[in-house]
Every structure is written in C-alpha cells, then in structure tokens.
C-alpha cells in the first residue's frame, strides 16, 4: 500500500557485536572443540549470510559436560544461597550492560526484529535473572518445606524462537536452587547461548556450573538420556516432548515440558475493537508467529466479524516486513528454511481444504526466509489450519454465537497453553477464563510475560510451570 | 460360636455411582493373610476401565465446578460415614493385612483422620499455591490452581485402606475425578469404601473403584486419551515404567511410585501433583504518571 509518508531506513548498527568466525562447546568453563571435530554453520535468516561455524556436540561431549556439571554441583549446591544469589545478580547486571550487543546478535541469528529483541527479549532475560537471584537465599520460604534441596545436574533443551529468553527461563531458576546445568541451544540459534557462556566467565561463575552444548536433535536426545542427569527441562514441539517423556520413563529424572499450543483469542461483541485488533496482531504476528502461546485461532462473535476483519486487514496492511535490524520493522524473517517450508506446506493445505487465504500487499526480500502475514477465513474446526500448530504468521479466523460456544471451540484442541478474551464485561472475563483449559489467559491484552508469573500448559502443551514461585518447583526435590 | 449361618456379601465394582458386576463376568478369590477365603471380588476388564473413565469425565464438570467449600463439606460427610462403619473396616483391614484388631483399629482411625485432614484442604490449597503476582507493568494477574481432570489411581498394594485413602482423597479434594484400582491382593476395604462414598454426598462418577489385576486394568487407563493423570503408587518398577511410557502418548501427568510411610502426616505434594496453574492477566488501566494521590 503506497503511503504519503515513506519511512526512511533506520538500521541498528551491527558494529556493537563482534561475532567470531568459529565457536567451540562451552564445557567446564572453557571453549573446546567437539570430540569428533564436527561443526555446523549458523546463518542469518534474513540474509542467509553465514554468521559463524559452531562445534557440534556429540554423545562423548555430552558425557564430558555432564561430568563437569556433576563435579561442579557439589560446591555450587553447598554455597550459601546468598552467594549463589550474588552470582545471579552479577549475571543479570552484565546482561543489562551488554543488552544492546545481545539484542543485535539475537536479531542476526534468529531473524526477529530488533524492536522485539531490544524491547521484549533482553529486558525479560535480565529480569528473569534478577527475579530468581532473589530466590536463591529464600528457598526455605518458598512453600516447598523448610529445606528444599536441588536435584543435581539439569539437562536443558531449548528452542530457537526465543533463544536467550528460553535460556534465562531455564538457567536462572536452576542455578538459584543450586543445580548445575548442561544446556543445548537450538541448531539454528546457538550464538546468544555462547555469548552467555562468556557472560558466565565475566561474572566469575565457577567452572562447570553452566555448560553449553550446541547441536542438533541427537545432541539433545543424548543429553536427555544421559544416566547422570537428574532433571530434564525441554521447551519445543509436542512430538519431541512425548519422545522425551518416553525416554525418561521409569527413571528418577524429574521432567518439565513446555510444548506447543493453538491458542484461542476470543473476541466478544462488546470488545474494544481497536485494542482487540492490536491484541490479535501481537497475538499472532509477534515474533513472526513463532510463539508457542500465539493466539493462532481467532474466535470472533459472529455479529462483529465483518467490522473486526475490516479493521484487522487495515491494520495488517500497515505492518512493515523486512530487515530485522531496521528499528521500524514489525515482521522479520522466518527462522530457517526448514521452518519456512513447514509454514508454506501447512498454508497450502489450508487453501486446498477450502479456507480462504488473505495477505496484505507485501513485498518479500529476495534473500532470506520470509512469509507474509496471512489470514484464513472460512475456517472450520476440522481444518488443518485450525488444528495444527503452524508456528508462523498465520491466523485462522473462526466464529461463534454464544459464550458457551466460544468456550467449547476454544477448548476443542489437544493443546492448552494460552487463550485471550476480549470483552468490556468483567464478569464475562471471569466466567470464560474459568472455563478455558489453558495455563495462561490474557484478558484484554495478549502475549504478556513477567518473571514473577507462572507460565505453562494444560493437556498436551506439557507440564510444569516456568516463572514465579512455581518455577522453582521444577528444580527442587519436591 | 453362633449356630446362625452368616450372609455373604457379593462385592461389586463402583462405577458412575452404581454397583455393577464386572462386564467380563469374572471374579477372583480374595483371601486373608493366612490364605483363608474371604470373598470373590470382581475381576475388572478393559471395558470396565473405559466405562469408569466415561463416568469420571461426566462427573468432572460438576465436581470441579463445585465450590471448594462445598467439596469440603462433602468430604467431611464421607469421614462421618466412615466413622459409622468403623468396626466393619477394622475387621476388613485386619483380615486384609493380617493385623490384630487393635492394630487394625489404629490404621482405620488414622485413615478416617486422614480423610478429615484432606477435607479441610479443599478451600485452602488455592491460597497456599496460588495468588497475585507482582508484575512489572500496568497489569494485574492472578495464578490459581485448577484440577487437571480425570486421574487414574493405582492404589498402594500393601496398605489396603490407609494407603488407598491417602492417594484418593487428595485427588478429589482438589476437584479431580478418579478411577481407582484397588489393591490387587486386598481389594475389599476399597470396595467397601465405595459403599460409603455412595451413601455420603459424593456425586456418582467422582470416584470409581475397580478391582482385579492391577496390570491388566492399568494398561488401558495409562493409554487412555481422556485420562489426564495417573498415580502409579500401586505399580512395581517394571509396570510403572511401562505405564509411564504409555502415559506419554497424551502427556498425562504422572506421579511415580515412591517409598511412602502412610502413617506419617503427608505434605501437600499429592494435592499439587494433580493441579494445573492458570494465570489470568488483565490491564490495570493505571491512572497516568502522577500516580496515586494517597
């Protein structure tokens, strides 16, 4: 859509971040090569430029890292909580100091807009470390008995959609409670975790307390299966989550899973339309829709469907897709070629099944992995696009007539992570929130996160909570 | 010795508030600790297990939607009924576990007290594990525990009554509904407990009691897509692993078997094991930069 006032490019400078041509694994406080010398490349999704070459951890490296974490556990868990707290506070401060560098790095490696890494990811990352730092010397008061104990070595596997934030969600509570960590970042976004290793060194964290093992799914599988791991934490797809649950079955390993979602965003006829439209946009187009709690199913009360869709389409036409380093960019690149292919195939299936596809006029850059914001109308509950998690900027619109129907449709999914409610009527918010089978319900807002607030799913969205007092439980012997 | 011939009791399952025989028509012999025949207990089938899940699901909306106060009242009523049948349970527990009458009385008293203890938790657990979160932004949010749904409970094998109540009461106190597999060797106290539940105010289907071969009944429950959680207290290590693998299919919440002294006052673990935490957010509409005038 031509506009009277074009935006001039406003790119954030890359010079604040210095990416080395290659990185090792971070084991026992040192960067080391993989035992079998394997490496892989990480590329920038917006340009396909190779950013760096990364050592790829194999089973032998997993064993080495777990041993290092086990050795470190004895001293780390025996530290007074107040000392562990100070390490976490140091880490939080260094993250704040280096937040611009980390924001640019994350945008380069992940493809998400700088506006989001700078304003959402990094402040939350620091906040998580601050929040859990404060718990380290107060665990006796957390409601898990008078002297809850750490579990030991935590094996953590995190996804590529919020690389540093997911790291913070996993590592901060693990360290606060006295566990040591072996973390595997996703193969497409290993860089910020490796920068975090450097932050651990700057903070003087004892060797072996945090170990970082970049690699693919087999690295994660080896970590999860390692007999000397006491706790497994995973964020990612439901299919992999089920596989992990089978792997740890019959062991004493404690398990928490944050898996997929197909969140319903319910808009009632008395909703504040403009705010709802903003909430719908943030619900599904934040982070290019690559969010497990995305509001990917819009449930609109039939009587306002036309009005709402008109507003929504108008708003989508103003979204700016392109260079993620540009401060005006709303929609960045899809994280990988593979993910782009998955989105494309699901969207094609939506069309083949008869749903009506719409996108605003939108020019996609020639290089990189891009997908235009997409809306499906004429969707029924049986459509694939209404059932499967797409993990991309694709919104399916369904309608309802009564609150009961809205609830029934919202709950008609094996997932149960998030939901949204838009109405001006307080009693309706409470009544509907009460009936929704979802771990997070945002009313008259969407996609809000805070380290003090537990986050996690019902049903096949996994079990356990991250954040808040509840997030401690996963790392304690309770 | 009285000359009077006693009347035997036909023990039955408890499903959906009714007392059916096993759909399979099978029974198995239950003996006391010395091997003396006590009764024929129903040997439940997969179909009985599935029927019990249907009944438990049907009851879930009403039970989870009842006020916590109301659930507490209902559970306390169960304790009242148990007290009235104290002698019967002492006899059954003595037979089942080979205890003297006086030792069995200690167990039964502890069991009734355990039930009362859990009855008192229904309207307190939300305050202990939920609450407001101090969000850094103009939002109000609240985390509250909610029942996870239908819970399959493998009752402990050895502690036929105290163990049974220790695993069952927390499941329903928190608003879940239950399908219980009684101790395989000593199912009679569980089947009699069902009669107590039926004559108290617990709605039909909230608790369903099956007897039979634990492994046979547990397998379909662990794999059942409409069961939300499973308590493996009564499974040995081999069975527990098998069931945990099956439970992964729909990501059931699994409580693994662990050594428990049921005579000890429990913590809140069994209450929280079958709760989900829901966090509901709302903007606060904070009143501008000038802040509060107070």
């Amino acid at each position: 859509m031509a506009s009277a006032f074009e935006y001039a490019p406003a790119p954030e400078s890359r010079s604040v971040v210095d990416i080395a041509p290659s990185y090792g694994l971070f084991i026992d406080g040192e960067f080391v090569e993989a035992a079998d010398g394997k490496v892989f490349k990480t590329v920038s999704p917006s340009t396909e430029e190779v950013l760096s070459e990364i050592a790829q951890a194999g089973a032998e490296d997993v064993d080495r890292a777990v041993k290092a974490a086990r050795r470190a556990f004895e001293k780390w868990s025996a530290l007074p909580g107040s000392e562990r707290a100070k390490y976490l506070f140091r880490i939080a401060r260094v993250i704040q100091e280096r937040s611009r560098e980390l924001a640019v790095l994350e945008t380069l490696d992940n493809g998400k807009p700088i506006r989001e890494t700078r304003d959402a990811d990094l402040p939350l990352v620091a906040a998580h470390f601050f929040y859990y730092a404060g718990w380290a010397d107060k665990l006796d008061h957390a409601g898990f008995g008078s002297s809850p104990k750490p579990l030991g070595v935590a094996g953590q596997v995190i996804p590529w959609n919020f690389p540093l934030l997911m790291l913070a969600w996993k590592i901060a509570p693990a360290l606060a409670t006295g566990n040591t960590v072996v973390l595997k970042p996703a193969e497409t976004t290993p860089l910020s975790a490796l920068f975090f290793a450097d932050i651990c060194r700057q903070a003087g964290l004892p060797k072996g307390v945090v170990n970082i093992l970049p690699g693919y799914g087999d690295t994660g599988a080896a970590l999860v299966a390692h007999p000397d791991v006491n706790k497994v934490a995973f964020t990612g797809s439901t299919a992999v989550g089920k596989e992990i649950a089978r792997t740890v079955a019959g062991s004493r390993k404690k398990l928490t899973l944050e898996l997929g979602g197909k969140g319903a965003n319910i808009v009632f006829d008395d909703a504040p339309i403009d705010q709802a439209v903003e909430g719908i946009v943030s619900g599904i187009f934040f982070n290019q829709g690559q969010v497990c709690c995305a509001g990917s199913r819009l449930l609109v009360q039939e009587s306002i469907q036309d009005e709402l869709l008109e507003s929504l389409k108008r708003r989508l036409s103003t979204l700016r897709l392109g260079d993620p380093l540009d401060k005006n960019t709303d929609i960045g690149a899809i994280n990988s070629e593979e993910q782009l292919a998955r989105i494309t195939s699901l969207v094609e299936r939506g069309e083949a099944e008869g749903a009506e596809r719409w996108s605003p006029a939108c020019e996609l850059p020639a290089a990189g992995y891009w997908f235009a914001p997409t809306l499906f109308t004429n969707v029924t509950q049986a459509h694939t696009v209404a059932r499967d998690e797409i993990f991309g900027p694709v919104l399916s619109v369904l309608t309802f007539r009564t609150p009961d129907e809205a609830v029934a449709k919202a709950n008609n999914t094996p997932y149960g992570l998030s939901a949204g409610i838009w109405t001006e009527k307080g009693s309706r918010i409470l009544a509907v929130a009460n009936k929704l089978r979802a771990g997070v319900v945002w009313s008259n807002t969407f996609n809000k996160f805070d380290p003090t607030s537990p986050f996690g799913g019902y049903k096949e969205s996994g079990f356990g909570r991250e954040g808040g007092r509840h997030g401690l439980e996963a790392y304690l012997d309770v | 010795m009285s000359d009077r011939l006693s009347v035997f009791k036909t023990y039955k399952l408890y499903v959906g508030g009714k007392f059916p025989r096993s759909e399979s028509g099978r029974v198995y012999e239950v003996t006391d600790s010395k091997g003396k025949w006590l009764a024929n207990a129903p040997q439940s089938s997969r179909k009985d297990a599935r029927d019990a899940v249907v009944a438990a699901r049907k009851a879930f909306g009403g039970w989870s939607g009842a006020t916590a106060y109301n659930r507490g009242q209902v559970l306390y009523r169960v304790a009242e009924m148990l007290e009235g049948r104290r002698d019967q349970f002492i006899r059954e527990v003595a037979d089942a576990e080979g205890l003297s009458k006086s030792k069995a009385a200690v167990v039964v008293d502890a069991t009734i007290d355990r039930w009362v203890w859990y009855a008192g938790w229904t309207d307190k657990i939300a305050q202990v594990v939920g609450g407001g979160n101090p969000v850094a932004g103009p939002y109000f949010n609240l985390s509250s525990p909610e029942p996870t749904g239908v819970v399959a409970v493998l009752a402990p094998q050895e502690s036929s009554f105290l163990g049974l109540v220790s695993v069952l009461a927390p499941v329903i106190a928190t608003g879940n509904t239950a399908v219980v597999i009684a101790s395989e060797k000593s199912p009679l106290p569980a089947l009699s407990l069902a009669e107590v539940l039926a004559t108290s105010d617990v709605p039909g289907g909230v608790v369903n009691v099956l007897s039979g071969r634990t492994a046979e009944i547990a397998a379909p429950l662990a794999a059942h897509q409409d069961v939300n959680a499973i308590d493996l207290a009564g499974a040995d290590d081999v069975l527990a692993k098998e069931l945990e693998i099956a439970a992964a299919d729909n990501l059931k919440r699994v409580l693994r078997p662990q050594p428990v002294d049921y005579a000890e006052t429990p913590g809140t673990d069994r209450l929280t094991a079958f709760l989900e935490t829901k966090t509901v957010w709302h903007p606060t509409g904070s009143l501008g930069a000038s802040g509060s005038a107070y």
Side-chain angles (χ1 to χ4, degrees):
Chain A
M1 193 168 77
S3 162
F5 300 100
E6 289 298 331
Y7 285 84
E12 175 65 90
S13 168
R14 274 184 72 153
S15 65
V16 293
V17 57
D18 188 10
I19 302 174
S22 70
Y23 286 92
L25 316 169
F26 186 67
I27 298 177
D28 209 13
E30 308 291 335
F31 283 103
V32 296
E33 302 292 308
D36 59 9
K38 271 197 185 169
V39 292
F40 66 98
K41 292 177 167 55
T42 186
V43 302
S44 183
S46 61
T47 58
E48 298 176 56
E49 167 201 355
V50 174
L51 294 171
S52 188
E53 199 172 73
I54 316 286
Q56 184 180 338
E60 207 180 321
D61 305 303
V62 168
D63 190 52
R64 228 175 352 149
V66 171
K67 285 202 170 90
R70 174 64 58 197
R71 280 194 304 274
F73 173 67
E74 207 174 309
K75 277 190 183 162
W76 179 249
S77 58
L79 274 185
S82 53
E83 293 297 299
R84 284 204 309 274
K86 285 192 284 183
Y87 281 112
L88 287 171
F89 278 123
R90 278 187 181 186
I91 290 172
R93 275 292 190 233
V94 178
I95 287 168
Q96 283 183 323
E97 286 158 8
R98 297 177 63 174
S99 70
R100 181 161 167 188
E101 172 196 358
L102 293 167
V104 172
L105 176 75
E106 196 84 313
T107 285
L108 283 170
D109 204 19
N110 170 283
K112 61 169 75 189
I114 186 74
R115 200 166 59 81
E116 289 178 10
T117 54
R118 183 193 60 196
D119 300 346
D121 296 45
L122 263 300
L124 276 170
V125 170
H128 269 274
F129 278 98
F130 274 114
Y131 177 75
Y132 280 110
W135 267 123
D137 54 358
K138 299 170 192 68
L139 296 173
D140 297 354
H141 305 280
F144 302 112
S146 56
S147 61
K149 297 276 178 290
L151 300 167
V153 175
Q156 309 180 320
V157 179
I158 58 168
W160 44 257
N161 57 343
F162 293 90
L164 201 51
L165 184 59
M166 292 300 105
L167 174 147
W169 283 25
K170 297 272 184 294
I171 290 186
L175 297 192
T177 46
N179 299 273
T180 54
V181 163
V182 179
L183 176 130
K184 188 202 89 75
E187 66 268 20
T188 59
T189 55
L191 286 177
S192 52
L194 294 165
F195 274 57
F196 179 78
D198 188 50
I199 290 172
C200 292
R201 294 213 293 202
Q202 284 190 336
L205 194 71
K207 286 172 192 264
V209 171
V210 168
N211 304 274
I212 310 277
L213 297 182
Y216 285 74
D218 53 348
T219 312
L223 177 57
V224 164
H226 194 288
D228 205 28
V229 163
N230 306 98
K231 153 79 192 176
V232 171
F234 171 73
T235 295
S237 76
T238 290
V240 175
K242 290 179 180 179
E243 202 46 53
I244 291 174
R246 286 181 202 109
T247 303
V248 305
S251 75
R252 303 313 299 173
K253 289 174 192 170
K254 197 160 175 170
L255 175 65
T256 44
L257 300 170
E258 296 288 353
L259 309 175
K262 192 73 188 173
N265 208 353
I266 308 170
V267 184
F268 288 97
D269 56 7
D270 64 344
I273 294 289
D274 289 347
Q275 284 96 319
V277 165
E278 288 307 308
I280 294 161
V281 168
S282 113
I284 185 62
F285 300 114
F286 178 65
N287 205 32
Q288 295 71 246
Q290 302 165 130
V291 185
C292 52
C293 54
S296 51
R297 286 183 298 153
L298 177 63
L299 296 180
V300 196
Q301 198 149 19
E302 205 176 79
S303 53
I304 56 158
Q305 184 191 9
D306 293 346
E307 183 192 354
L308 183 80
L309 281 179
E310 195 190 327
S311 294
L312 183 59
K313 287 179 175 175
R314 193 168 55 233
R315 177 67 179 89
L316 291 190
S317 305
T318 67
L319 289 178
R320 298 169 58 80
L321 177 147
D323 180 7
L325 276 175
D326 191 314
K327 293 167 202 162
N328 292 321
T329 291
D330 298 305
I331 301 213
I334 299 301
N335 182 249
S336 66
E337 199 170 7
E338 187 193 358
Q339 183 57 21
L340 179 60
R342 193 173 306 146
I343 298 168
T344 307
S345 122
L346 280 162
V347 163
E348 280 166 3
R349 192 143 164 208
E351 278 189 292
E353 287 175 7
E356 209 166 297
R357 176 180 177 174
W358 181 90
S359 285
C362 183
E363 206 174 305
L364 302 183
Y369 319 126
W370 305 90
F371 202 89
T374 297
L375 204 108
F376 273 110
T377 50
N378 222 356
V379 177
T380 75
Q381 295 184 83
H383 279 121
T384 304
V385 290
R387 307 207 65 81
D388 288 15
E389 186 180 38
I390 297 176
F391 226 65
V394 181
L395 180 66
S396 296
V397 185
L398 298 105
T399 61
F400 67 90
R401 288 183 180 174
T402 65
D404 280 347
E405 190 189 344
V407 168
K409 281 184 168 165
N411 288 339
N412 181 17
T413 164
Y415 297 112
L417 191 48
S418 72
I421 305 169
W422 297 85
T423 169
E424 289 284 46
K425 201 167 178 196
S427 55
R428 181 178 281 164
I429 290 172
L430 296 174
V432 172
N434 201 29
K435 286 185 187 154
L436 292 173
R437 303 281 292 163
V440 192
V441 177
W442 287 291
S443 11
N444 291 329
T445 183
F446 210 93
N447 266 346
K448 294 292 181 293
F449 306 92
D450 191 89
T452 66
S453 306
F455 178 94
Y458 284 42
K459 303 198 276 185
E460 294 192 17
S461 290
F463 38 75
R465 294 293 179 269
E466 294 184 298
R469 187 193 72 87
H470 296 73
L472 294 167
E473 188 176 354
Y475 293 95
L476 293 170
D477 62 340
V478 288
Chain B
M1 255 333 209
S2 150
D3 291 339
R4 183 179 168 272
L5 191 66
S6 67
V7 177
F8 283 165
K9 177 162 115 186
T10 302
Y11 284 89
K12 295 194 194 174
L13 305 178
Y14 183 52
V15 175
K18 296 195 166 64
F19 292 93
R21 292 185 163 86
S22 168
E23 162 276 341
S24 65
R26 300 177 304 180
V27 293
Y28 70 111
E29 290 193 8
V30 178
T31 58
D32 70 8
S33 59
K34 296 192 185 67
K36 188 169 82 66
W37 183 86
L38 292 171
N40 290 326
Q43 189 184 332
S44 308
S45 64
R46 309 171 72 85
K47 177 70 163 72
D48 292 318
R50 291 201 300 268
D51 289 347
V53 173
V54 171
R57 173 60 61 198
K58 205 169 156 194
F60 178 69
W63 184 243
S64 61
T67 63
Y69 177 64
N70 180 235
R71 280 203 304 272
Q73 294 278 298
V74 170
L75 290 197
Y76 186 72
R77 176 78 177 157
V78 173
E80 289 175 0
M81 298 288 114
L82 284 170
E83 190 75 44
R85 294 218 201 186
R86 186 169 169 274
D87 291 344
Q88 176 196 338
F89 282 110
I90 291 173
R91 210 165 47 241
E92 285 187 340
V93 169
D95 282 345
E97 300 178 23
L99 301 175
S100 67
K101 282 278 154 64
S102 60
K103 283 196 172 139
V106 172
V107 172
V108 170
D109 290 348
T111 307
I112 299 172
D113 293 352
R114 180 69 36 88
W115 199 284
V116 173
W117 191 76
Y118 277 117
W121 264 117
T122 58
D123 52 3
K124 294 164 193 75
I125 189 70
Q127 289 172 310
V128 173
V129 303
N133 307 305
V135 184
Y139 298 92
F140 166 76
N141 80 12
L142 203 58
S143 292
S144 343
E146 291 188 343
T148 196
V150 173
V151 181
V153 178
L154 279 61
Q157 297 297 344
E158 299 310 320
S159 184
S160 63
F161 193 45
L162 177 56
L164 166 79
V165 163
S166 298
V167 299
L168 171 62
V171 167
I172 60 170
T174 44
N176 298 287
T177 56
V179 176
V180 186
I181 306 175
S183 163
E184 180 167 332
K185 183 166 64 71
S186 313
L188 302 187
L191 296 173
S192 292
L193 174 69
E195 295 165 16
V196 168
L197 297 170
T199 51
S200 59
D201 302 320
V202 180
V206 169
V207 178
N208 304 276
V209 183
L210 304 173
S211 59
R213 307 294 175 216
T214 298
E216 182 190 355
I217 314 167
L221 291 175
H224 201 295
Q225 294 295 305
D226 205 26
V227 172
N228 301 84
I230 187 163
D231 182 341
L232 297 175
D236 62 29
D237 286 350
V238 176
L239 177 62
K241 181 173 179 177
E242 230 168 77
L243 297 176
E244 192 174 346
I245 291 171
D249 254 358
N250 72 335
L251 292 163
K252 283 182 189 66
R253 283 63 179 134
V254 176
L255 189 58
R256 291 175 176 146
Q258 53 216 311
V260 185
D261 178 0
Y262 289 108
E264 296 279 318
T265 304
T268 52
D269 310 10
R270 285 190 177 273
L271 289 162
T272 52
F274 305 110
L275 288 173
E276 304 289 345
T277 296
K278 177 188 278 177
T279 303
V280 180
W281 293 65
H282 199 276
T284 54
S286 293
L287 299 171
S290 60
S292 164
Y294 292 101

